[in-house]
mmCIF file of all heavy atoms in Angstrom:
data_model
loop_
_atom_site.group_PDB
_atom_site.id
_atom_site.type_symbol
_atom_site.label_atom_id
_atom_site.label_comp_id
_atom_site.label_asym_id
_atom_site.label_seq_id
_atom_site.Cartn_x
_atom_site.Cartn_y
_atom_site.Cartn_z
ATOM 1 N N LEU A 126 -5.339 12.863 -1.051
ATOM 2 C CA LEU A 126 -5.562 12.687 -2.465
ATOM 3 C C LEU A 126 -6.262 13.834 -3.248
ATOM 4 O O LEU A 126 -6.434 13.701 -4.461
ATOM 5 C CB LEU A 126 -6.381 11.343 -2.658
ATOM 6 C CG LEU A 126 -5.777 10.036 -2.971
ATOM 7 C CD1 LEU A 126 -5.170 10.146 -4.361
ATOM 8 C CD2 LEU A 126 -4.712 9.698 -1.987
ATOM 9 N N MET A 127 -6.631 14.866 -2.505
ATOM 10 C CA MET A 127 -7.369 15.958 -3.120
ATOM 11 C C MET A 127 -6.565 16.522 -4.318
ATOM 12 O O MET A 127 -7.171 17.026 -5.333
ATOM 13 C CB MET A 127 -7.737 17.013 -2.179
ATOM 14 C CG MET A 127 -8.838 17.998 -2.640
ATOM 15 S SD MET A 127 -10.350 17.049 -3.235
ATOM 16 C CE MET A 127 -10.907 16.484 -1.700
ATOM 17 N N SER A 128 -5.323 16.660 -4.167
ATOM 18 C CA SER A 128 -4.413 17.172 -5.236
ATOM 19 C C SER A 128 -4.520 16.338 -6.467
ATOM 20 O O SER A 128 -4.539 16.767 -7.627
ATOM 21 C CB SER A 128 -2.968 17.414 -4.863
ATOM 22 O OG SER A 128 -2.451 16.146 -4.495
ATOM 23 N N VAL A 129 -4.585 14.947 -6.291
ATOM 24 C CA VAL A 129 -4.711 13.987 -7.378
ATOM 25 C C VAL A 129 -6.143 14.288 -8.022
ATOM 26 O O VAL A 129 -6.201 14.290 -9.197
ATOM 27 C CB VAL A 129 -4.435 12.681 -6.917
ATOM 28 C CG1 VAL A 129 -4.790 11.628 -8.063
ATOM 29 C CG2 VAL A 129 -3.028 12.442 -6.468
ATOM 30 N N GLU A 130 -7.129 14.278 -7.224
ATOM 31 C CA GLU A 130 -8.464 14.358 -7.751
ATOM 32 C C GLU A 130 -8.581 15.774 -8.519
ATOM 33 O O GLU A 130 -9.260 15.801 -9.564
ATOM 34 C CB GLU A 130 -9.554 14.357 -6.609
ATOM 35 C CG GLU A 130 -10.932 14.596 -7.108
ATOM 36 C CD GLU A 130 -12.033 14.587 -6.017
ATOM 37 O OE1 GLU A 130 -12.214 13.476 -5.388
ATOM 38 O OE2 GLU A 130 -12.568 15.606 -5.673
ATOM 39 N N SER A 131 -7.944 16.792 -8.015
ATOM 40 C CA SER A 131 -8.045 18.115 -8.615
ATOM 41 C C SER A 131 -7.242 18.179 -9.993
ATOM 42 O O SER A 131 -7.480 19.085 -10.778
ATOM 43 C CB SER A 131 -7.522 19.205 -7.728
ATOM 44 O OG SER A 131 -8.288 19.260 -6.562
ATOM 45 N N ALA A 132 -6.513 17.141 -10.291
ATOM 46 C CA ALA A 132 -5.831 17.047 -11.620
ATOM 47 C C ALA A 132 -6.365 15.937 -12.386
ATOM 48 O O ALA A 132 -5.760 15.737 -13.504
ATOM 49 C CB ALA A 132 -4.323 16.935 -11.317
ATOM 50 N N ALA A 133 -7.214 15.185 -11.865
ATOM 51 C CA ALA A 133 -7.782 13.952 -12.560
ATOM 52 C C ALA A 133 -8.482 14.305 -13.827
ATOM 53 O O ALA A 133 -9.305 15.228 -13.888
ATOM 54 C CB ALA A 133 -8.711 13.122 -11.631
ATOM 55 N N ARG A 134 -8.232 13.525 -14.881
ATOM 56 C CA ARG A 134 -9.023 13.675 -16.099
ATOM 57 C C ARG A 134 -9.970 12.500 -16.235
ATOM 58 O O ARG A 134 -10.971 12.546 -17.026
ATOM 59 C CB ARG A 134 -8.023 13.627 -17.260
ATOM 60 C CG ARG A 134 -7.149 14.869 -17.427
ATOM 61 C CD ARG A 134 -8.077 16.082 -17.855
ATOM 62 N NE ARG A 134 -7.271 17.252 -17.684
ATOM 63 C CZ ARG A 134 -7.300 18.140 -16.683
ATOM 64 N NH1 ARG A 134 -7.980 17.721 -15.589
ATOM 65 N NH2 ARG A 134 -6.668 19.232 -16.704
ATOM 66 N N TYR A 135 -9.920 11.454 -15.402
ATOM 67 C CA TYR A 135 -10.752 10.404 -15.479
ATOM 68 C C TYR A 135 -10.951 9.733 -14.171
ATOM 69 O O TYR A 135 -9.949 9.515 -13.412
ATOM 70 C CB TYR A 135 -10.197 9.330 -16.538
ATOM 71 C CG TYR A 135 -11.078 8.246 -16.954
ATOM 72 C CD1 TYR A 135 -12.191 8.475 -17.750
ATOM 73 C CD2 TYR A 135 -10.767 6.840 -16.698
ATOM 74 C CE1 TYR A 135 -12.991 7.459 -18.192
ATOM 75 C CE2 TYR A 135 -11.551 5.844 -17.167
ATOM 76 C CZ TYR A 135 -12.645 6.135 -17.941
ATOM 77 O OH TYR A 135 -13.455 5.168 -18.377
ATOM 78 N N ILE A 136 -12.252 9.561 -13.732
ATOM 79 C CA ILE A 136 -12.535 8.954 -12.423
ATOM 80 C C ILE A 136 -13.556 7.841 -12.630
ATOM 81 O O ILE A 136 -14.537 8.039 -13.230
ATOM 82 C CB ILE A 136 -13.062 10.012 -11.419
ATOM 83 C CG1 ILE A 136 -12.049 11.106 -11.159
ATOM 84 C CG2 ILE A 136 -13.415 9.407 -10.109
ATOM 85 C CD1 ILE A 136 -12.547 12.206 -10.250
ATOM 86 N N ARG A 137 -13.170 6.679 -12.119
ATOM 87 C CA ARG A 137 -14.196 5.542 -12.148
ATOM 88 C C ARG A 137 -14.519 5.155 -10.690
ATOM 89 O O ARG A 137 -13.654 5.192 -9.829
ATOM 90 C CB ARG A 137 -13.488 4.347 -12.863
ATOM 91 C CG ARG A 137 -13.032 4.679 -14.272
ATOM 92 C CD ARG A 137 -12.488 3.422 -14.881
ATOM 93 N NE ARG A 137 -13.392 2.327 -15.156
ATOM 94 C CZ ARG A 137 -13.148 1.140 -15.701
ATOM 95 N NH1 ARG A 137 -11.855 0.942 -16.074
ATOM 96 N NH2 ARG A 137 -14.042 0.243 -15.876
ATOM 97 N N VAL A 138 -15.814 4.975 -10.525
ATOM 98 C CA VAL A 138 -16.321 4.636 -9.097
ATOM 99 C C VAL A 138 -17.154 3.471 -9.118
ATOM 100 O O VAL A 138 -18.073 3.253 -10.034
ATOM 101 C CB VAL A 138 -17.107 5.859 -8.616
ATOM 102 C CG1 VAL A 138 -17.547 5.593 -7.072
ATOM 103 C CG2 VAL A 138 -16.288 7.175 -8.733
ATOM 104 N N TRP A 139 -17.022 2.667 -8.077
ATOM 105 C CA TRP A 139 -17.913 1.573 -7.730
ATOM 106 C C TRP A 139 -18.573 1.873 -6.359
ATOM 107 O O TRP A 139 -17.856 2.127 -5.409
ATOM 108 C CB TRP A 139 -17.243 0.125 -7.650
ATOM 109 C CG TRP A 139 -18.025 -0.809 -6.827
ATOM 110 C CD1 TRP A 139 -17.588 -1.346 -5.543
ATOM 111 C CD2 TRP A 139 -19.321 -1.428 -7.021
ATOM 112 N NE1 TRP A 139 -18.523 -2.113 -5.075
ATOM 113 C CE2 TRP A 139 -19.622 -2.237 -5.955
ATOM 114 C CE3 TRP A 139 -20.175 -1.271 -7.999
ATOM 115 C CZ2 TRP A 139 -20.763 -2.979 -5.858
ATOM 116 C CZ3 TRP A 139 -21.427 -1.971 -7.985
ATOM 117 C CH2 TRP A 139 -21.639 -2.893 -6.929
ATOM 118 N N GLU A 140 -19.908 1.930 -6.359
ATOM 119 C CA GLU A 140 -20.539 2.208 -5.031
ATOM 120 C C GLU A 140 -21.619 1.171 -4.847
ATOM 121 O O GLU A 140 -22.496 0.965 -5.628
ATOM 122 C CB GLU A 140 -21.260 3.622 -5.208
ATOM 123 C CG GLU A 140 -22.135 3.981 -3.935
ATOM 124 C CD GLU A 140 -21.359 3.931 -2.682
ATOM 125 O OE1 GLU A 140 -20.453 4.807 -2.505
ATOM 126 O OE2 GLU A 140 -21.702 3.073 -1.775
#
Side-chain angles (χ1 to χ4, degrees):
L126 263 292
M127 196 56 67
S128 62
V129 173
E130 179 179 289
S131 297
R134 288 293 172 264
Y135 193 65
I136 298 176
R137 301 178 69 181
V138 182
W139 155 250
E140 174 57 65

